[in-house]
Amino acid sequence: MLEKIGHRFLVSLFLSIFVAINTEIMAKQKFYVVWDGAEDGVYTSWEACKQAVEGFSRAKYQSFKTEAEAEEAFELGYEKYKEQESVKKASLQSEALETSEAAPAPAVAVTRPAESFSLPPAAINEAIAVDAACSGNPGKMEYRGVYLRTGKEIFHYGPMWGTNNIGEFLAIVHGLALLKQRGLDTMPIYSDSVNAQLWVKRKKCKTTLERNAKSEGLYQLIERAEKWLRDNAYRNPIIKWPTDEWGEIPADFGRKH
């Protein structure tokens, strides 16, 4: 009796191990689509795919996690598949930005209705634009960021006592932190402030604003922004918005600073 129980246990154990190994292998399994090579099709191993594309300078191929995804991509064809992926990526970027709740930057992200504006033809629409406004200098300062593809405001902070240059600096850092949080680490940021871009590059807000009870809250935000820059690497291009050529930056508040 004990021998039968032992035998059953061993069989059950071996089956469990087999299933576990097979599941792991299947999880690592990749499928390869060759759209342009020696022989187009869906391949189940890298070696077979490699043979089909070696020697083709313009070979078009890609790996997929599941056979169903690979088959669908192959049926669509290379151009249509890439076009579809581009649309999905843009949609995900839009969703990531417009549903943002907060970024590890010195402010809170909010979403406001889109404003009516048109972008210059040379402007990158998969980007954000930032700007600040200040009533007096120093005075009541606020800043914001706008997603250029939709025109929606994706974050806004203020007003609080400060200067326009400080607001421009904080706006860029806020944008960088938000994009990093959302995994959009190559999306550009437009700013029309040369000083703010230089301060970000140097990781230091070189303001001459006096630090006192009135500006203490702002200085705490500045220190958080400087620390974020020291602690985080980023790849997002920070681009000067050419106001003379393109007009006011889309994040502009529509009033004199």
Side-chain angles (χ1 to χ4, degrees):
M1 183 70 173
L2 289 175
E3 288 181 0
K4 287 184 179 179
I5 293 173
H7 177 71
R8 287 174 184 170
F9 173 76
L10 287 174
V11 170
S12 176
L13 179 62
F14 285 135
L15 281 173
S16 297
I17 293 171
F18 174 78
V19 169
I21 293 173
N22 191 52
T23 300
E24 185 176 353
I25 291 171
M26 289 300 292
K28 292 180 180 178
Q29 171 78 55
K30 284 187 177 180
F31 298 86
Y32 302 85
V33 171
V34 176
W35 288 284
D36 193 358
E39 188 174 344
D40 302 347
V42 177
Y43 294 84
T44 57
S45 73
W46 166 240
E47 287 304 318
C49 175
K50 186 178 177 183
Q51 289 179 15
V53 299
E54 266 188 334
F56 285 77
S57 59
R58 296 183 181 179
K60 295 180 177 66
Y61 59 97
Q62 185 172 317
S63 66
F64 294 85
K65 290 182 180 179
T66 68
E67 187 174 11
E69 289 175 341
E71 292 285 358
E72 183 181 355
F74 180 67
E75 290 298 323
L76 281 172
Y78 179 78
E79 298 297 337
K80 186 128 187 207
Y81 170 74
K82 288 298 181 182
E83 180 183 341
Q84 190 178 86
E85 288 301 295
S86 178
V87 171
K88 283 182 183 177
K89 183 179 178 182
S91 178
L92 288 172
Q93 287 179 338
S94 178
E95 182 181 350
L97 285 174
E98 293 172 12
T99 59
S100 62
E101 294 175 358
V108 177
V110 298
T111 301
R112 293 189 177 183
E115 297 177 10
S116 177
F117 73 96
S118 58
L119 289 177
I124 301 168
N125 66 357
E126 284 300 331
I128 67 173
V130 299
D131 199 21
C134 196
S135 300
N137 207 23
K140 289 184 178 180
M141 178 273 294
E142 58 187 315
Y143 70 78
R144 66 176 180 167
V146 170
Y147 179 33
L148 295 188
R149 193 167 74 83
T150 62
K152 286 188 178 180
E153 182 182 273
I154 53 173
F155 62 82
H156 177 270
Y157 190 85
M160 72 181 308
W161 186 260
T163 68
N164 194 70
N165 279 337
I166 294 174
E168 300 273 11
F169 168 77
L170 293 175
I172 295 175
V173 181
H174 191 153
L176 288 171
L178 176 60
L179 294 177
K180 186 178 182 71
Q181 183 191 60
R182 296 294 167 179
L184 305 174
D185 57 356
T186 59
M187 181 177 283
I189 296 177
Y190 281 109
S191 167
D192 60 8
S193 172
V194 174
N195 282 340
Q197 292 181 49
L198 186 60
W199 291 357
V200 169
K201 185 177 181 180
R202 294 177 177 175
K203 300 176 173 47
K204 187 70 177 176
C205 180
K206 300 289 286 184
T207 181
T208 57
L209 180 68
E210 181 184 357
R211 186 165 188 167
N212 53 34
K214 198 170 187 178
S215 62
E216 181 57 31
L218 178 65
Y219 264 93
Q220 290 179 16
L221 294 182
I222 292 171
E223 288 171 351
R224 286 173 59 189
E226 291 174 341
K227 184 178 187 305
W228 190 92
L229 289 171
R230 291 193 301 271
D231 295 348
N232 292 273
Y234 61 87
R235 295 188 297 154
N236 306 83
I238 301 173
I239 305 172
K240 174 68 171 65
W241 180 272
T243 305
D244 291 343
E245 183 182 350
W246 292 354
E248 294 295 345
I249 193 166
D252 183 67
F253 283 83
R255 59 179 185 270
K256 297 292 184 182
H257 298 317

